[in-house]
């Protein structure tokens, strides 16, 4: 606890898509006065956050020792599969080595760590996946996240991993999420002068709204603050199976555009991706933790908030 008795949370990666949602939830939730949330960011640090590069291990150690948080939420990672495939050393540096440093310091400080992981730890051949199922990643991104999970839990078994699928939410750029990144092509295809947009209809995803995930994370932190630590592997997922073709149709409905879309029935990504990694969320549901906003409602409300952001 901080000197004033508040529960102190270090939110690592607060400027990202998920980090911003978590910061907003912790600031606006009932009982927010009982929280002290210290945000960190690297390239997008502002007056409300601490600039912190996870590759600078000494800086990470110094930050955590000075803050002495009760809990650490690690929402920062290298999560772009193509980048990880082309630079596995960078993927490991961010997704494994930096997390190991955080875990070691947290153990010494008695802080609880909640680290964000991914459904890409699985190969997508036998969904749904429970937390205890054996990982079998298909690409460097998934492998780095599995190694990060193992490093964290080996350092401190009381820490926790939260696996998540495809995320979308309030954005600053279309390409912050693989969901909203489809929007420019959707809008462009509605122009009669342009050809149809090809959309993947092979892989099934479960788009999950970041404000919903933020509610999940707040619930997990509240358990910790009350002394009921959640440890090991946990998972949360939206419950609507959708291909990118389905997602694109939903975006077109929300924008009220007559998009011309073509279903691509075979994988075309250079980096292998799993076909269906549906995550079983039962463990958190049993604790009464969670919220799911229907995709059409979430994407409609989301796109309506950004009338000034025009696809290029």
């Amino acid at each position: 606890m901080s000197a004033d008795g508040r529960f102190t949370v270090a939110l690592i990666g607060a400027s990202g898509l998920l980090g911003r949602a978590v910061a907003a939830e912790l600031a606006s939730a009932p009982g927010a006065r009982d929280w002290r949330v210290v945000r960190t960011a690297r390239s997008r640090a502002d007056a409300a956050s601490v600039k912190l590069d996870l590759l600078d291990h000494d800086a990470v150690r110094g930050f955590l020792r000075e803050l002495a948080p009760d809990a650490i939420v690690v929402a920062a990672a290298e999560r772009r599969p193509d980048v990880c495939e082309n630079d596995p050393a960078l993927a490991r540096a961010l997704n494994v080595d930096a997390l190991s440093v955080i875990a070691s310091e947290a153990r010494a400080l008695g802080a609880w760590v909640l680290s964000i992981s991914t459904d890409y730890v699985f190969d997508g051949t036998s969904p749904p996946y429970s937390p205890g199922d054996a990982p079998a990643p298909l690409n460097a991104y998934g492998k780095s996240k599995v190694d990060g999970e193992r490093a964290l839990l080996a350092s401190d078994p009381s820490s926790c991993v939260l696996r998540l699928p495809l995320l979308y939410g309030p954005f600053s750029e279309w390409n912050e999420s693989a969901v909203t990144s489809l929007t420019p092509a959707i809008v462009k295809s509605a122009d009669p002068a342009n050809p149809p947009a090809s959309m993947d209809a092979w892989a099934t995803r479960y788009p999950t709204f970041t404000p919903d995930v933020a509610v999940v994370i707040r619930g997990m932190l509240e358990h910790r603050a009350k002394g009921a630590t959640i440890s090991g592997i946990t998972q949360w997922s939206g419950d609507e199976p959708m291909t990118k073709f389905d997602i694109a149709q939903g975006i077109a409905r929300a924008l009220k555009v007559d998009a011309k879309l073509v279903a691509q029935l075979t994988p075309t990504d250079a980096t292998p991706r799993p076909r269906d990694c549906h995550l079983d969320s039962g463990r958190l549901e049993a604790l009464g933790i969670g919220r799911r906003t229907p995709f059409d409602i979430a994407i409609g409300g989301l796109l309506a908030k950004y009338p000034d952001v025009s696809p290029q």
Side-chain angles (χ1 to χ4, degrees), residues 245-260:
F245 181 81
D246 300 325
I247 292 170
Q249 289 181 314
I251 292 174
R253 286 193 301 271
L255 295 174
K256 296 181 172 58
V257 297
D258 187 17
K260 302 188 297 293

Side-chain angles (χ1 to χ4, degrees), residues 76-152:
E78 178 49 73
R79 57 178 53 87
R80 295 168 294 178
D82 293 337
V83 171
C84 291
E85 205 70 19
N86 293 325
D87 193 349
L90 173 63
R92 183 171 185 85
L94 283 170
N95 298 346
V96 185
D97 298 341
L99 188 57
S100 294
V101 171
I102 292 170
S104 177
E105 289 301 317
R107 185 181 67 250
L109 293 167
W112 180 67
V113 180
L114 174 60
S115 179
I116 305 304
S117 190
T118 174
D119 58 346
Y120 273 32
V121 300
F122 298 114
D123 63 11
T125 60
S126 304
Y129 291 95
S130 70
D133 287 337
L138 294 180
N139 54 40
Y141 169 56
K143 186 177 188 308
S144 72
K145 295 302 285 185
V146 170
D147 289 346
E149 291 181 0
R150 290 171 175 165
L152 173 65

Side-chain angles (χ1 to χ4, degrees), residues 23-36:
E25 177 65 26
L26 295 181
S28 63
R33 293 181 180 178
D34 297 329
W35 301 82
R36 178 190 178 207

